[in-house]
Amino acid sequence: MGIRFLTAGESHGPALSCIVEGLPAGLPISIEQINHDLYRRQTGYGAGARMKIERDTVQITGGIVNGVTIGAPVGMLVENLDWKNWQNKITPPQTIPRPGHADLAGATKYDLSDLRMVGERASARETAMRVAAGSLARQLLAQFNISVGSYVTEIGGEIAELATIPYEERFARAEASDVRVYDEASAEKIRQRIYAIMQQKETGGGVIETVALNLPVGLGSHVHWDRKLDGRLAQALMSIHSVKGVEIGNAFENARKLGTQAQDEIFLSPLPEGEGQGVRVTRDTNRAGGLEGGITNGEPLVIRAAFKPIATTLTPTHSIDVTTREPAMMIYQRSDLVHIPRACVITEAMVCLVLADAMLEKFGGDSLREMQAHFHAWNPTLPEMR
Amino acid sequence: MGIRFLTAGESHGPALSCIVEGLPAGLPISIEQINHDLYRRQTGYGAGARMKIERDTVQITGGIVNGVTIGAPVGMLVENLDWKNWQNKITPPQTIPRPGHADLAGATKYDLSDLRMVGERASARETAMRVAAGSLARQLLAQFNISVGSYVTEIGGEIAELATIPYEERFARAEASDVRVYDEASAEKIRQRIYAIMQQKETGGGVIETVALNLPVGLGSHVHWDRKLDGRLAQALMSIHSVKGVEIGNAFENARKLGTQAQDEIFLSPLPEGEGQGVRVTRDTNRAGGLEGGITNGEPLVIRAAFKPIATTLTPTHSIDVTTREPAMMIYQRSDLVHIPRACVITEAMVCLVLADAMLEKFGGDSLREMQAHFHAWNPTLPEMR
Amino acid sequence: MGIRFLTAGESHGPALSCIVEGLPAGLPISIEQINHDLYRRQTGYGAGARMKIERDTVQITGGIVNGVTIGAPVGMLVENLDWKNWQNKITPPQTIPRPGHADLAGATKYDLSDLRMVGERASARETAMRVAAGSLARQLLAQFNISVGSYVTEIGGEIAELATIPYEERFARAEASDVRVYDEASAEKIRQRIYAIMQQKETGGGVIETVALNLPVGLGSHVHWDRKLDGRLAQALMSIHSVKGVEIGNAFENARKLGTQAQDEIFLSPLPEGEGQGVRVTRDTNRAGGLEGGITNGEPLVIRAAFKPIATTLTPTHSIDVTTREPAMMIYQRSDLVHIPRACVITEAMVCLVLADAMLEKFGGDSLREMQAHFHAWNPTLPEMR
Amino acid sequence: MGIRFLTAGESHGPALSCIVEGLPAGLPISIEQINHDLYRRQTGYGAGARMKIERDTVQITGGIVNGVTIGAPVGMLVENLDWKNWQNKITPPQTIPRPGHADLAGATKYDLSDLRMVGERASARETAMRVAAGSLARQLLAQFNISVGSYVTEIGGEIAELATIPYEERFARAEASDVRVYDEASAEKIRQRIYAIMQQKETGGGVIETVALNLPVGLGSHVHWDRKLDGRLAQALMSIHSVKGVEIGNAFENARKLGTQAQDEIFLSPLPEGEGQGVRVTRDTNRAGGLEGGITNGEPLVIRAAFKPIATTLTPTHSIDVTTREPAMMIYQRSDLVHIPRACVITEAMVCLVLADAMLEKFGGDSLREMQAHFHAWNPTLPEMR
């Protein structure tokens, strides 16, 4: 059954919650690391006012005893500190849908006459629980030396330089940047672009590249459409608020190349020193983004997500009042202006969840020790000949 | 449970087969239409030699009696006419993986020493069954006046003009074009580009835009990540062979716009003549590609898929021999050169399957008549006020 | 996707929690009714000491606003009041598995050296969240006039009289009985049997009959094994702690009858007064327990579950110490003595969850009003001839 | 994702088919063994006329090359030899539902005016594909030394002696018996009972006990309701045609015992000679039927299914004509009289499928060799102390 998770909670409700089912027992979990990931979701240049109101911290309600998983579902809770402020407010129903938001389609679907009932759940606040769940998955992956990081590649049309330095260094530099851009000159330009967007009472979109390192060969599969890892990753990323496009590697650019220029030739190299005699596969390029036939091929997994600008702008746009059935201008609600830097940790979380699920699918194991025993018992990088 | 389907069969095995479970009873099925969709998959400028060998036709093995579904799973079979030719051939094992193909990762994963065992299933021949399954879904959607079409927007870097003519006309013109490009001048340029690619012993990729018309408001949902229709569509398209990128509307372009320029303002218009008094929602743009918050909003659903060029090129690339563990050059196998025109029907099929599933989820119904009764009993386009 | 739910939480952890995903919007939810069901789970003759410690009450953390569902997942939390007492206790690891409990197999599976880590989650305390989830489902079913009740038919070998009075009356009388037996004379005998069992420092099992009334014809299906409603109900009931047998109607008895004596003949009666002209199907018997071919047939759904006695007895049994690898006697832990009366509400909860899921599958609908519109638009009791 | 399978096909349609997805690569498959299981489904005292018409044989349409799985979905087909005879027959629509059969509820649900459209799919003929799928699962289990067998314990109220001889011997003797009863004196009595039932133009039900040997400790789980192996087995068996009751071990009898008499005490014994120093767990009883807390505990898994007599009797029963809305007597259709002996292989098949899925869940592995490497790397029978 792999890893399943459900999240609940509204933006101004009492709490967000999450249950993650399927983690192996014996996995040490650092609450600090979850809280650190939650913190990362709350910071970044361009974030809105809410981020200053509250600092999310997770409570574990089940599944972890003395800092270690016991095989049981993990229950997590993040209280909405803001809730008390809202509880006694009398808020008139929202009747003007924000174009680009779930408001209108959601209220029509769910027969809701107060559009706020849509936005409360459609809000990206929900992603706090995805980040918490993703942090559990990340801590499982770390036990197999797999790491997942990300950086911003463009915002508001300003495109960052992507120098080919090691990914770990990209992650570290992006982490140190308030716009999560690893090239410093680019970061400054993007910061200025964000500033200009905010000055214009506008919002801005962008692109995030998420990368997973040290994956074993063989996650995902070519044998059935819904086993392909690229499809599962695409769903996971596309399901993030305001993401409307996903590509593995530079897919849209690659679609314009000739066949021989769009693949990654296969070479052999001696094993690294200390790993004995023998050869390993190497590539000079990674156009496939680490996936061939929907299967990890041992190269870094690279996946890019395109975020549209947030729909809630200070500059009003045309809409309607669903009560009066008359034209009306959108009314601003507190929101981010440029959310791309903050969103990095969300893409990482979703990638971690998909990868942890794929790891369990391939290696099985009810405890971390069993999973590791399986992992070490069989993990080839080249097919064996018989 | 919605619609589930499994496909089986290898490229040179006896047959491809498919079981589609979950269709309502009482749905008339035209076998000719399935065969027509199968035929569409086999034609188009740039197709390889295999397409000339055999013309796929479907056999129904269950679930349809006297041309109508009975609620039972539908079994379908397409024989590989080519199989007899292959059965008595002695083919030495394939030991040189094709870069960009599932060969190497697949054989490593599944412990296969003959790489052919990967390619047999990883072959796009499998999509014949997706097309057959998709044709069933298409015939269900048609009962609700929903249609799904597609056209090529670029091949090998040659980008087509996309004049804003009605979608039905785009579909019809693309259908009449051997490169499935609806603008005639563009079609000619793209034909020449394909010819040049083939002359160079290369392969070419491209982009297909798939569109669904007349969808009700409210398919998909914002309430949980895996209910979002954009995510489900993204997985479905990304799972197609050689697709590496997916976007809803022009997502990567939209990510560079300002917030007010990236949404679709909401307006009201009187109902069309003959539909009584009242108003309906209209938009001047469709940047969201018909989905807001992961929910259909009543506008055409527009989704684009980026295909990389096929990995099997007449021009050999560097690879290795997994037996000798020595460098080796890739060996050509019969394959398409430019597969984009043919692939249109595959994207349509996957979109049809996701949409039919979403229709059943929203409207329920065990028979077509029940589903239609549900559909007509409740299908608002604006939230009702109370 | 229907209704999905996950539960989390340990017996002596901070809280139990649950997320129920898939309920329609616009469903009024009575928290009192959930708490009443939780209370029913905590009462009954034969319950252990814990029941006196704490009275469970639910907190809603998401999905319900102003007492009504909004389509979003419902988050629920029940605090373990006992937790504070346990937090500072130093409890040595449990090393002696209780025969009949998950202790030994669970610790072996999950690589846990303190067997308490198994019992914490394997404890029937987890069923509190199933009851809370089931209460939501029950409240949905009630909107369609469907009710689910239950009564004890035997305990410790003492078998109750099952007079054929209307089910509603059986439910009401059982509810008023501390042993949940609807025949008063039988109730007294069973009470005495429980007393005797407790005096012997033993535990006792029994059988519960759960019944659903006013179901529409057509829930479940014959077309695929995993759509059969009897199978789905069987899994749901068998998954309850200490349930080891399930039968639809009196299946084990029916297996001994002749074919003509084991079915329910079909008759016609005029429609009840006020429902117009026409006929309806009637039966003189209900040996099928309301399911033919895995489909509801309009008769009461009757399902029986056999519970073994609880494994934790005051009378010690032979076991081993997993640390010393030596024989050891089981050590008593606080537990129920006869849990059957309390368990009624758990079987009801699981039946409600399966039925609510099947209702959504058949009728669809994103809001209660839509679901009801579907329900009333098409709900025949006899096939229509054409 | 484990093992998924879908079946299609009607009783008098062209063929039955099945796709089994999720088997590891490298598994040798004996077609003869599948055909032998299909043959077992067709034989047994009390079988109807159809069994003499055709002998089922399977065609593999995908997923197996040179007798070995390649990781791809396995496609299987069984032709209905009888089909040609039926194709040109003009059969008037069936309008009289058989009590106890899916006819009436199924036709109402699926809006079918010819009741035959229900029986065609609701027929137990569908189980031929479950047997074929189960045979694949059985061949996987055999690689881990796990075997699954069964025998009849009662028919038509005649109850067999169940001498406690080794299970392998029970299986072998039952296999040699035309009533699948392993005690010879009992077999004769049951044969006479079947004869008497047939003479009376009646049908008879019974009980089958299915047993799995050599299971590792730790399949299934206590941590979430839908992971419990007993629930998954219960669904699988209850989904078989005419099964209405399921119990793990002797659950209904056990429900009447005292707590200390209803569990299996835990003892230690030295390891068998040749397996080194150390101890293993032993039990003197197996009342739990091999499952504690929904987890395999290393003892034989014992599960019993109660079959009602087949609904189609030569002695007519009261029914109605759905066209005329008038009373009518049931009309006989060709059918088994006593199907219990034949049904043994079906219960085995479903148990094999559930167990193979649980094995993959625990051990993972994409190839048989990987799965075995995992299995041997970690498979304790007692928790390890740290």
Side-chain angles (χ1 to χ4, degrees):
Chain A
M1 299 186 169
I3 292 180
R4 299 178 287 179
F5 72 101
L6 292 175
T7 71
E10 280 71 50
S11 189
H12 298 96
L16 302 170
S17 65
C18 181
I19 297 178
V20 182
E21 206 276 336
L23 290 171
L27 175 68
I29 294 295
S30 156
I31 310 295
E32 273 163 48
Q33 196 177 324
I34 304 176
N35 285 337
H36 180 64
D37 272 339
L38 288 173
Y39 170 72
R40 292 172 70 210
R41 202 194 68 95
Q42 294 192 289
T43 45
Y45 190 62
R50 175 160 197 164
M51 296 306 103
K52 286 149 203 161
I53 299 173
E54 49 185 311
R55 170 91 176 258
D56 290 334
T57 54
V58 76
Q59 296 168 44
I60 301 296
T61 61
I64 297 174
V65 179
N66 300 328
V68 179
T69 59
I70 60 167
V74 176
M76 295 190 288
L77 194 87
V78 170
E79 283 185 39
N80 282 333
L81 304 177
D82 199 18
W83 183 53
K84 282 157 212 156
N85 304 331
W86 277 78
Q87 251 191 314
N88 300 316
K89 271 192 197 162
I90 292 155
T91 41
Q94 179 192 340
T95 59
I96 304 172
R98 290 163 292 171
H101 209 285
D103 291 351
L104 184 56
T108 307
K109 176 183 178 74
Y110 286 109
D111 187 32
L112 299 165
S113 48
D114 181 356
L115 306 186
R116 207 177 303 279
M117 296 302 104
V118 178
E120 276 295 302
R121 177 65 187 165
S123 160
R125 174 119 190 89
E126 180 261 341
T127 57
M129 290 327 295
R130 302 203 203 184
V131 166
S135 191
L136 299 177
R138 186 196 300 274
Q139 295 185 43
L140 175 60
L141 295 172
Q143 297 284 347
F144 297 87
N145 199 29
I146 298 165
S147 62
V148 174
S150 66
Y151 40 85
V152 168
T153 70
E154 60 175 272
I155 286 180
E158 188 68 49
I159 298 165
E161 286 289 313
L162 295 180
T164 53
I165 57 174
Y167 283 113
E168 287 88 347
E169 204 176 322
R170 299 189 202 190
F171 301 163
R173 289 193 190 180
E175 199 63 31
S177 156
D178 63 350
V179 291
R180 286 215 172 94
V181 171
Y182 71 80
D183 175 73
E184 253 182 62
S186 303
E188 182 49 33
K189 280 187 201 160
I190 280 177
R191 201 174 294 112
Q192 285 169 18
R193 180 77 191 112
I194 294 176
Y195 183 77
I197 288 168
M198 296 194 295
Q199 288 301 100
Q200 285 177 270
K201 302 198 170 186
E202 279 285 1
T203 58
V207 174
I208 291 170
E209 192 161 301
T210 310
V211 180
L213 302 175
N214 302 322
L215 294 172
V217 175
L219 303 184
S221 173
H222 66 280
V223 301
H224 207 261
W225 75 273
D226 50 3
R227 286 191 183 261
K228 294 204 170 181
L229 197 65
D230 36 17
R232 289 149 73 180
L233 288 163
Q235 177 181 21
L237 288 195
M238 192 71 99
S239 78
I240 298 173
H241 304 66
S242 81
V243 171
K244 303 282 281 188
V246 177
E247 56 180 351
I248 311 292
N250 293 340
F252 280 90
E253 190 186 311
N254 238 13
R256 298 180 174 172
K257 289 190 187 150
L258 290 174
T260 59
Q261 301 309 307
Q263 327 295 339
D264 307 296
E265 290 183 295
I266 305 172
F267 303 98
L268 290 171
S269 305
L271 283 182
E273 249 193 78
E275 293 190 20
Q277 298 267 320
V279 289
R280 56 174 182 149
V281 167
T282 53
R283 316 259 187 158
D284 290 346
T285 55
N286 185 19
R287 292 153 179 159
L291 289 168
E292 288 176 304
I295 308 169
T296 52
N297 66 0
E299 296 300 306
L301 177 81
V302 181
I303 184 164
R304 306 170 82 244
F307 291 73
K308 68 168 191 174
I310 277 183
T312 313
T313 48
L314 274 162
T315 304
T317 51
H318 287 95
S319 185
I320 59 172
D321 187 310
V322 293
T323 311
T324 61
R325 306 306 213 218
E326 295 289 341
M329 295 307 283
M330 187 183 82
I331 292 169
Y332 179 68
Q333 294 181 21
R334 196 178 57 183
S335 173
D336 275 356
L337 301 172
V338 177
H339 61 307
I340 314 305
R342 288 177 55 202
C344 279
V345 66
I346 310 169
T347 62
E348 292 172 19
M350 293 308 288
V351 168
C352 285
L353 284 160
V354 172
L355 292 177
D357 186 50
M359 285 289 289
L360 272 165
E361 189 174 298
K362 178 166 182 57
F363 295 105
D366 295 311
S367 64
L368 179 60
R369 290 210 305 163
E370 179 178 8
M371 198 175 165
Q372 286 177 326
H374 293 173
F375 183 83
H376 293 298
W378 186 275
N379 188 14
T381 55
L382 269 170
E384 201 174 306
M385 291 300 113
R386 283 185 298 274
Chain B
M1 299 185 170
I3 292 180
R4 299 180 286 180
F5 72 101
L6 293 174
T7 71
E10 280 70 51
S11 188
H12 299 96
L16 302 170
S17 65
C18 182
I19 297 179
V20 182
E21 206 276 336
L23 289 171
L27 175 68
I29 294 295
S30 156
I31 309 296
E32 272 164 48
Q33 196 177 322
I34 304 175
N35 285 337
H36 179 64
D37 272 338
L38 289 173
Y39 170 71
R40 293 172 69 210
R41 203 194 68 94
Q42 294 192 290
T43 46
Y45 190 62
R50 176 160 195 165
M51 295 307 103
K52 285 148 204 160
I53 299 172
E54 50 184 311
R55 169 93 177 256
D56 290 334
T57 54
V58 75
Q59 295 168 45
I60 301 295
T61 61
I64 297 174
V65 179
N66 299 329
V68 177
T69 58
I70 60 167
V74 175
M76 295 189 288
L77 195 87
V78 170
E79 282 184 39
N80 282 334
L81 303 177
D82 198 20
W83 183 51
K84 283 157 212 156
N85 304 331
W86 277 78
Q87 253 194 312
N88 299 316
K89 272 192 196 160
I90 291 155
T91 41
Q94 178 193 339
T95 59
I96 304 172
R98 291 162 292 171
H101 209 286
D103 291 351
L104 184 56
T108 308
K109 176 182 179 74
Y110 287 109
D111 186 32
L112 298 165
S113 49
D114 181 356
L115 306 186
R116 207 177 304 278
M117 296 302 103
V118 178
E120 276 295 303
R121 177 65 188 165
S123 160
R125 174 119 191 89
E126 180 261 340
T127 58
M129 290 327 294
R130 301 204 204 184
V131 167
S135 191
L136 299 177
R138 187 196 297 275
Q139 295 186 43
L140 175 59
L141 294 172
Q143 297 284 346
F144 297 87
N145 200 29
I146 298 165
S147 62
V148 174
S150 66
Y151 40 85
V152 167
T153 69
E154 60 175 273
I155 286 179
E158 188 69 49
I159 298 164
E161 286 289 312
L162 294 180
T164 52
I165 56 173
Y167 282 113
E168 287 88 347
E169 203 176 322
R170 299 189 201 190
F171 301 162
R173 289 193 190 179
E175 199 64 31
S177 155
D178 64 349
V179 291
R180 287 218 170 92
V181 171
Y182 71 80
D183 175 75
E184 253 183 62
S186 303
E188 182 49 33
K189 282 187 199 159
I190 280 176
R191 200 174 294 111
Q192 284 169 19
R193 180 77 190 112
I194 295 176
Y195 183 77
I197 288 168
M198 297 195 295
Q199 289 301 100
Q200 284 178 271
K201 302 199 170 185
E202 279 284 0
T203 57
V207 174
I208 291 171
E209 192 161 301
T210 310
V211 180
L213 302 176
N214 303 321
L215 293 172
V217 175
L219 302 185
S221 174
H222 65 280
V223 300
H224 207 261
W225 75 273
D226 50 3
R227 287 192 183 259
K228 295 205 170 180
L229 196 65
D230 37 16
R232 288 149 73 181
L233 287 162
Q235 178 181 20
L237 289 195
M238 193 71 99
S239 78
I240 298 173
H241 304 66
S242 80
V243 171
K244 303 282 281 189
V246 177
E247 56 179 351
I248 312 292
N250 292 341
F252 280 90
E253 189 186 312
N254 238 14
R256 296 179 175 173
K257 289 190 187 151
L258 291 174
T260 58
Q261 301 307 307
Q263 327 296 338
D264 308 296
E265 291 183 295
I266 304 173
F267 303 99
L268 289 172
S269 305
L271 283 182
E273 249 192 77
E275 293 190 19
Q277 298 266 322
V279 290
R280 56 174 182 149
V281 167
T282 53
R283 316 259 188 160
D284 290 347
T285 54
N286 185 18
R287 291 151 179 160
L291 288 168
E292 288 175 304
I295 309 170
T296 53
N297 66 0
E299 297 299 306
L301 178 81
V302 181
I303 184 164
R304 306 169 81 245
F307 291 73
K308 68 168 191 175
I310 277 182
T312 314
T313 49
L314 275 161
T315 304
T317 51
H318 287 96
S319 184
I320 60 174
D321 187 311
V322 293
T323 311
T324 61
R325 305 307 212 217
E326 295 289 343
M329 295 307 283
M330 188 183 80
I331 292 169
Y332 179 69
Q333 294 181 20
R334 194 180 58 181
S335 173
D336 276 356
L337 301 173
V338 177
H339 61 308
I340 314 305
R342 287 178 57 202
C344 279
V345 66
I346 309 169
T347 62
E348 292 173 19
M350 293 309 287
V351 168
C352 285
L353 283 159
V354 172
L355 292 177
D357 186 49
M359 284 290 289
L360 272 165
E361 190 174 297
K362 178 167 181 56
F363 295 106
D366 295 310
S367 65
L368 179 60
R369 290 210 305 163
E370 179 179 8
M371 200 177 165
Q372 286 177 325
H374 292 172
F375 183 83
H376 293 299
W378 186 275
N379 189 14
T381 55
L382 270 170
E384 201 175 304
M385 291 301 112
R386 284 185 296 275
Chain C
M1 300 185 168
I3 291 180
R4 300 180 286 179
F5 72 101
L6 293 174
T7 72
E10 280 71 50
S11 188
H12 298 95
L16 302 170
S17 64
C18 182
I19 297 178
V20 182
E21 205 277 336
L23 290 170
L27 175 68
I29 294 295
S30 155
I31 309 296
E32 273 163 48
Q33 195 177 324
I34 304 175
N35 285 337
H36 179 64
D37 272 338
L38 289 172
Y39 171 71
R40 293 171 68 211
R41 202 193 69 94
Q42 293 193 290
T43 45
Y45 191 61
R50 177 162 194 162
M51 294 307 103
K52 286 149 202 159
I53 298 172
E54 49 184 310
R55 169 92 175 257
D56 290 334
T57 53
V58 76
Q59 295 168 44
I60 301 295
T61 61
I64 297 174
V65 179
N66 299 328
V68 178
T69 59
I70 60 166
V74 176
M76 294 189 288
L77 195 87
V78 170
E79 282 185 40
N80 282 333
L81 303 177
D82 199 20
W83 183 50
K84 282 157 213 155
N85 304 332
W86 277 77
Q87 251 192 313
N88 300 316
K89 272 190 198 164
I90 290 155
T91 41
Q94 178 192 339
T95 60
I96 304 171
R98 291 162 291 170
H101 209 286
D103 292 351
L104 184 56
T108 308
K109 176 183 179 74
Y110 287 109
D111 186 33
L112 298 165
S113 48
D114 181 355
L115 306 186
R116 206 177 304 278
M117 296 301 104
V118 177
E120 276 295 301
R121 177 66 188 165
S123 160
R125 175 118 190 90
E126 180 261 340
T127 58
M129 289 328 293
R130 301 204 203 186
V131 167
S135 191
L136 299 178
R138 187 197 297 275
Q139 296 186 43
L140 174 60
L141 294 172
Q143 297 284 346
F144 298 87
N145 199 29
I146 298 166
S147 62
V148 174
S150 66
Y151 40 85
V152 168
T153 69
E154 60 175 273
I155 286 180
E158 188 69 50
I159 297 165
E161 286 290 312
L162 294 180
T164 52
I165 56 173
Y167 282 113
E168 286 88 347
E169 203 176 324
R170 300 189 201 189
F171 301 162
R173 290 193 190 179
E175 199 63 32
S177 155
D178 64 348
V179 290
R180 287 217 169 92
V181 171
Y182 71 80
D183 175 74
E184 253 182 63
S186 304
E188 183 49 34
K189 281 188 200 158
I190 281 177
R191 200 174 293 111
Q192 284 168 18
R193 181 79 190 109
I194 294 176
Y195 184 77
I197 289 168
M198 296 195 296
Q199 289 301 101
Q200 285 176 270
K201 301 199 172 184
E202 279 284 1
T203 57
V207 174
I208 292 170
E209 192 161 301
T210 310
V211 180
L213 303 176
N214 303 321
L215 293 172
V217 175
L219 302 185
S221 174
H222 66 280
V223 301
H224 207 260
W225 75 273
D226 50 3
R227 287 192 182 259
K228 295 205 170 180
L229 197 65
D230 38 16
R232 287 149 73 180
L233 287 162
Q235 177 181 20
L237 289 195
M238 192 70 100
S239 78
I240 297 173
H241 305 66
S242 82
V243 172
K244 302 282 280 188
V246 177
E247 57 179 350
I248 310 292
N250 293 341
F252 279 91
E253 189 187 312
N254 238 15
R256 296 178 176 174
K257 290 191 188 151
L258 291 174
T260 59
Q261 301 308 306
Q263 326 296 339
D264 308 297
E265 291 182 297
I266 304 172
F267 302 99
L268 289 172
S269 305
L271 284 182
E273 249 193 78
E275 293 191 18
Q277 297 267 323
V279 290
R280 57 176 182 149
V281 168
T282 54
R283 317 261 187 159
D284 290 347
T285 54
N286 185 19
R287 291 152 179 160
L291 287 168
E292 289 175 305
I295 308 169
T296 53
N297 66 0
E299 296 299 306
L301 177 82
V302 181
I303 184 163
R304 306 170 79 246
F307 291 73
K308 67 168 192 175
I310 276 183
T312 314
T313 48
L314 275 161
T315 305
T317 51
H318 287 96
S319 185
I320 60 174
D321 186 310
V322 293
T323 310
T324 60
R325 305 310 212 213
E326 295 289 343
M329 295 307 282
M330 188 182 81
I331 292 168
Y332 179 68
Q333 294 181 20
R334 196 179 57 180
S335 174
D336 276 355
L337 301 172
V338 178
H339 61 308
I340 314 305
R342 286 178 58 202
C344 278
V345 66
I346 309 170
T347 63
E348 292 173 18
M350 293 308 287
V351 168
C352 285
L353 283 160
V354 172
L355 292 177
D357 186 51
M359 284 290 288
L360 271 166
E361 189 174 297
K362 178 166 182 55
F363 295 106
D366 296 310
S367 64
L368 179 59
R369 291 210 304 161
E370 180 178 9
M371 200 176 164
Q372 286 177 325
H374 292 173
F375 183 83
H376 293 297
W378 186 276
N379 189 14
T381 55
L382 270 170
E384 200 174 306
M385 290 300 112
R386 282 185 298 274
Chain D
M1 299 185 168
I3 291 181
R4 298 179 287 179
F5 72 101
L6 293 174
T7 72
E10 280 70 50
S11 190
H12 298 96
L16 301 170
S17 65
C18 181
I19 297 178
V20 182
E21 205 277 336
L23 290 170
L27 175 68
I29 294 295
S30 156
I31 309 295
E32 273 163 49
Q33 197 178 322
I34 304 175
N35 285 337
H36 179 64
D37 272 339
L38 288 173
Y39 170 72
R40 293 172 68 210
R41 202 194 68 94
Q42 294 193 290
T43 45
Y45 190 62
R50 175 160 196 164
M51 296 306 102
K52 287 150 203 159
I53 298 173
E54 49 185 310
R55 170 90 176 259
D56 290 333
T57 53
V58 75
Q59 296 168 43
I60 302 294
T61 62
I64 297 174
V65 179
N66 300 327
V68 178
T69 59
I70 60 168
V74 176
M76 295 190 288
L77 195 87
V78 170
E79 282 185 39
N80 282 333
L81 303 177
D82 199 19
W83 183 51
K84 282 158 213 155
N85 304 332
W86 277 78
Q87 250 193 313
N88 300 316
K89 271 191 198 162
I90 289 154
T91 40
Q94 179 192 338
T95 59
I96 303 171
R98 291 163 292 170
H101 209 286
D103 292 351
L104 184 57
T108 307
K109 177 183 178 72
Y110 287 109
D111 186 32
L112 299 165
S113 47
D114 182 356
L115 306 185
R116 206 178 304 279
M117 295 303 103
V118 178
E120 276 295 302
R121 178 65 187 166
S123 160
R125 175 118 190 89
E126 181 260 340
T127 58
M129 290 327 295
R130 302 203 204 186
V131 167
S135 191
L136 299 178
R138 186 196 298 275
Q139 296 185 42
L140 174 60
L141 295 171
Q143 297 284 346
F144 297 86
N145 199 29
I146 298 165
S147 62
V148 174
S150 66
Y151 40 84
V152 168
T153 70
E154 62 175 271
I155 286 179
E158 188 68 49
I159 298 165
E161 285 289 313
L162 294 181
T164 52
I165 57 174
Y167 282 113
E168 286 87 347
E169 204 175 324
R170 300 188 202 190
F171 301 161
R173 290 193 189 179
E175 199 62 32
S177 155
D178 63 349
V179 292
R180 288 217 169 91
V181 171
Y182 70 81
D183 176 73
E184 253 182 61
S186 303
E188 183 49 32
K189 281 187 200 158
I190 281 177
R191 201 174 293 111
Q192 285 169 17
R193 180 78 190 110
I194 294 176
Y195 184 77
I197 288 168
M198 296 195 296
Q199 288 301 101
Q200 286 177 267
K201 302 198 171 185
E202 279 284 2
T203 58
V207 174
I208 292 171
E209 192 161 300
T210 310
V211 181
L213 303 175
N214 302 321
L215 293 172
V217 175
L219 303 185
S221 174
H222 66 281
V223 301
H224 208 261
W225 74 274
D226 50 3
R227 286 190 182 261
K228 294 204 171 181
L229 197 65
D230 36 17
R232 288 150 72 180
L233 288 162
Q235 177 181 22
L237 288 195
M238 192 70 99
S239 78
I240 297 173
H241 305 66
S242 82
V243 171
K244 303 283 281 188
V246 177
E247 57 180 350
I248 310 293
N250 293 341
F252 280 91
E253 189 186 312
N254 238 15
R256 296 178 175 173
K257 290 190 187 149
L258 290 174
T260 59
Q261 301 309 307
Q263 327 296 339
D264 307 296
E265 291 183 296
I266 304 172
F267 302 99
L268 289 171
S269 305
L271 283 182
E273 248 193 77
E275 293 190 19
Q277 297 267 321
V279 290
R280 57 174 181 150
V281 168
T282 54
R283 317 260 187 159
D284 290 346
T285 53
N286 185 18
R287 292 152 179 161
L291 287 168
E292 288 175 305
I295 308 169
T296 53
N297 67 0
E299 297 299 306
L301 177 80
V302 181
I303 184 164
R304 306 170 80 246
F307 291 73
K308 68 168 191 174
I310 277 183
T312 313
T313 48
L314 274 161
T315 304
T317 51
H318 287 95
S319 185
I320 60 174
D321 186 310
V322 292
T323 310
T324 60
R325 306 307 214 216
E326 295 289 342
M329 295 307 283
M330 187 181 80
I331 292 169
Y332 180 67
Q333 294 180 21
R334 197 178 58 183
S335 174
D336 276 356
L337 302 172
V338 177
H339 61 307
I340 314 305
R342 288 176 58 200
C344 279
V345 66
I346 308 169
T347 62
E348 292 173 18
M350 293 309 287
V351 168
C352 286
L353 283 160
V354 172
L355 293 176
D357 186 49
M359 285 290 288
L360 271 166
E361 189 174 298
K362 178 166 182 56
F363 295 106
D366 295 310
S367 65
L368 179 60
R369 291 210 303 162
E370 180 178 7
M371 199 176 163
Q372 286 177 325
H374 292 173
F375 183 83
H376 293 298
W378 187 276
N379 188 14
T381 55
L382 270 170
E384 200 175 306
M385 291 299 114
R386 283 187 297 274

